[in-house]
Amino acid sequence: MYNLIIYLYLLGVAIYSLFNEKVRKMWKGEREAVRILREKVDPNARYVWFHAASLGEFEQGRPIMEEFRRRHPEMKILLTFFSPSGYEVRKNYEGADIICYLPLDTILNARSFLRAIRPEMAFFIKYEFWYNYLHILKHRNVPVYSVSSIFRPKQIFFRWYGKQYGLVLKCFTHFFVQNEISRKLLSQIGISNVSVTGDTRFDRVLQIKGQAKNLPHVERFAKAGSQLTMVVGSSWEADEDVYLPYFEQHKDLRLIIATHVVSKERVAKLQQRLEQMGRKVVRYSEVSGKDASSLSILDEADVMLIDCYGLLSSIYQYADIAYVGGGFGVGIHNIVEAAVWYKPVVFGPNNERFQEAHDLLEAKGGFQVCCKNSFREIMDKLRSDENFKSKASEIAGNYVKESSGATYKILDFVENQLKSL
């Protein structure tokens, strides 16, 4: 049944690729993957394989790849992606020796791919359970590790109709899960090769913080006057319907917005909406490359739009309060990227799949809003009670710091396990 579904999916992708550029890139990349391997694989080298579905999973796996490289410079790294949003952004990543798409999970694709690379071990990041690849890896006695994975009762593995597909979990040598709930769920279906190590994403955001850019234009804008500044990361229109009415009523506040999709049309539409509210807007591209100390517009404007990629993780350092988007649609984006800077983090209700959101909510370093009214309530509280805001900031930053270290736990375990084989 699984293979039938895969072939039907393959047919659908082939057809859809005729009309969608993103799907077309993926379809083309998957078909070229084995050819790329044949051209680039060194037959005398030893390879370890890391697979990430998209950019978010790559960021989780990146600390492990880089620490593995540091410990084992004699081995080469293969990095694969499923989504163009990961591959297109990181196809030139210097931490891997070969980067390509992972062909769809047919038996023929899996055999051809693994025959070309012959990995000595494999790491699958978070939600990746490729049935045919994993069964062939097990048959070849290749150690396979699931990293930063998280499980929930509603997943197919724990339903009566998912028992057959659940056999794929038996192919893993070890699971490194984010929480105790995941360990217990796996135990209920007879899987005990599990360690609760947390999420490697905390290690990554600490790395990013240590490499943060100094952004004098953003700093001057954020510190102009005595107003509080809120940084909004990965903003969607549904988020803007929640937080913008508050800023329309409180013109003493400053706002820095990085939209999830950066395009001329998206930024122009948001700028028009803000100006209709009576806010004065400056785009980052207007001032970038100029002397920040001489730009009075940075003092006069009360909203800055970040109309480029790659700055958000550094921009959070200039916030008094952070809002992370996606929670009124696809799911919240990276809230620990803001929390690492010791900032209270506000986000929408679609966060049930994110352990860090639950933890920050419980500790009161993060705050969920469900509408304009609940956003107004938490903003009024954060603005009026400095002690409350300072405590939330401290909780958020300490949470990230104390949750780090998964990378080293995972690799120490893997190396000790391999030594005992």
Side-chain angles (χ1 to χ4, degrees):
M1 179 60 73
Y2 174 84
N3 287 316
L4 175 61
I5 293 172
I6 286 294
Y7 279 109
L8 290 173
Y9 178 81
L10 187 64
L11 177 61
V13 169
I15 295 172
Y16 195 38
S17 69
L18 300 174
F19 310 99
N20 184 282
E21 183 179 357
K22 181 178 178 180
V23 176
R24 187 159 54 250
K25 286 181 179 179
M26 181 181 73
W27 174 241
K28 182 181 179 182
E30 288 181 0
R31 286 182 296 162
E32 291 182 345
V34 173
R35 177 187 60 79
I36 291 172
L37 292 181
R38 286 172 179 160
E39 292 177 358
K40 293 188 175 183
V41 167
D42 179 352
N44 299 314
R46 300 166 61 201
Y47 285 90
V48 58
W49 172 26
F50 288 85
H51 176 65
S54 190
L55 188 59
E57 289 79 11
F58 164 80
E59 290 297 331
Q60 285 179 296
R62 182 170 178 168
I64 302 176
M65 280 186 278
E66 294 179 354
E67 177 62 14
F68 188 93
R69 170 83 82 189
R70 189 189 69 79
R71 296 187 185 193
H72 297 282
E74 77 281 4
M75 295 190 72
K76 292 184 178 292
I77 291 176
L78 165 69
L79 170 63
T80 59
F81 290 97
F82 178 69
S83 168
S85 60
Y87 177 78
E88 294 299 328
V89 175
R90 294 301 181 191
K91 60 186 176 183
N92 296 316
Y93 170 59
E94 294 181 353
D97 298 283
I98 302 175
I99 303 173
C100 64
Y101 283 93
L102 182 62
L104 205 61
D105 192 23
T106 66
I107 294 175
L108 181 60
N109 281 347
R111 285 175 177 167
S112 299
F113 184 90
L114 293 172
R115 189 179 297 119
I117 189 66
R118 300 186 183 280
E120 293 193 13
M121 68 179 72
F123 292 84
F124 283 64
I125 314 301
K126 200 171 182 178
Y127 291 128
E128 294 301 278
F129 307 105
W130 293 62
Y131 192 91
N132 290 313
Y133 283 98
L134 287 165
H135 276 86
I136 295 172
L137 286 167
K138 183 180 180 182
H139 178 73
R140 295 184 177 185
N141 295 315
V142 177
V144 183
Y145 303 98
S146 177
V147 175
S148 292
S149 46
I150 188 165
F151 294 90
R152 299 175 186 83
K154 293 183 180 180
Q155 286 174 297
I156 188 172
F157 313 114
F158 312 110
R159 301 299 185 92
W160 63 267
Y161 53 81
K163 289 183 178 180
Q164 185 63 34
Y165 180 68
L167 293 174
V168 71
L169 300 180
K170 302 284 187 180
C171 297
F172 285 94
T173 306
H174 203 85
F175 290 88
F176 299 100
V177 299
Q178 292 189 31
N179 56 26
E180 182 64 21
I181 294 173
S182 297
R183 188 196 65 77
K184 289 180 178 178
L185 284 169
L186 291 171
S187 178
Q188 289 172 12
I189 58 174
I191 296 175
S192 59
N193 50 327
V194 183
S195 298
V196 181
T197 52
D199 191 346
T200 52
R201 189 165 31 167
F202 293 102
D203 301 324
R204 178 61 187 146
V205 296
L206 285 167
Q207 286 179 346
I208 292 171
K209 182 181 179 182
Q211 301 163 359
K213 301 178 180 72
N214 179 35
L215 303 170
H217 301 84
V218 180
E219 182 176 17
R220 176 168 176 176
F221 171 84
K223 293 184 176 179
S226 58
Q227 307 100 318
L228 289 180
T229 298
M230 187 173 87
V231 171
V232 181
S234 301
S235 181
W236 294 67
E237 289 189 33
D239 296 295
E240 289 146 22
D241 291 339
V242 171
Y243 69 78
L244 283 185
Y246 188 86
F247 285 85
E248 186 172 17
Q249 297 170 2
H250 298 83
K251 298 186 183 298
D252 58 321
L253 297 173
R254 302 175 79 76
L255 191 58
I256 300 173
I257 306 175
T259 55
H260 177 63
V261 175
V262 179
S263 66
K264 291 181 179 179
E265 296 78 11
R266 172 78 171 98
V267 174
K269 184 177 180 181
L270 178 55
Q271 180 169 350
Q272 182 181 36
R273 180 176 181 179
L274 288 161
E275 290 174 343
Q276 288 173 347
M277 291 167 45
R279 307 306 295 252
K280 186 168 184 179
V281 178
V282 59
R283 296 192 188 190
Y284 184 81
S285 61
E286 294 177 40
V287 297
S288 179
K290 301 177 182 178
D291 183 6
S293 63
S294 64
L295 292 172
S296 60
I297 190 174
L298 293 171
D299 304 324
E300 298 164 0
D302 47 25
V303 180
M304 175 179 277
L305 292 182
I306 308 301
D307 53 348
C308 59
Y309 288 109
L311 299 181
L312 180 58
S313 60
S314 297
I315 288 173
Y316 282 124
Q317 67 184 297
Y318 303 112
D320 294 297
I321 301 165
Y323 179 99
V324 177
F328 290 91
V330 297
I332 58 169
H333 295 285
N334 194 344
I335 63 173
V336 295
E337 198 173 49
V340 71
W341 289 103
Y342 287 79
K343 310 296 180 182
V345 188
V346 182
F347 45 85
N350 189 358
N351 58 63
E352 62 274 7
R353 295 185 293 110
F354 302 87
Q355 181 66 38
E356 64 274 17
H358 299 174
D359 293 340
L360 280 172
L361 286 171
E362 184 177 353
K364 302 191 184 310
F367 306 95
Q368 174 181 299
V369 295
C370 61
C371 60
K372 292 183 289 187
N373 291 336
S374 59
F375 180 81
R376 183 187 69 246
E377 290 173 4
I378 190 58
M379 283 297 292
D380 285 347
K381 180 69 172 174
L382 289 167
R383 292 180 63 207
S384 63
D385 190 336
E386 179 60 34
N387 184 59
F388 176 76
K389 182 169 74 70
S390 296
K391 187 174 181 180
S393 301
E394 183 179 2
I395 289 169
N398 286 339
Y399 167 69
V400 177
K401 183 178 179 181
E402 293 165 5
S403 300
S404 64
T407 296
Y408 308 101
K409 295 175 186 175
I410 291 167
L411 288 180
D412 288 348
F413 184 100
V414 168
E415 293 193 338
N416 288 333
Q417 188 179 61
L418 293 176
K419 288 176 183 177
S420 66
L421 294 178

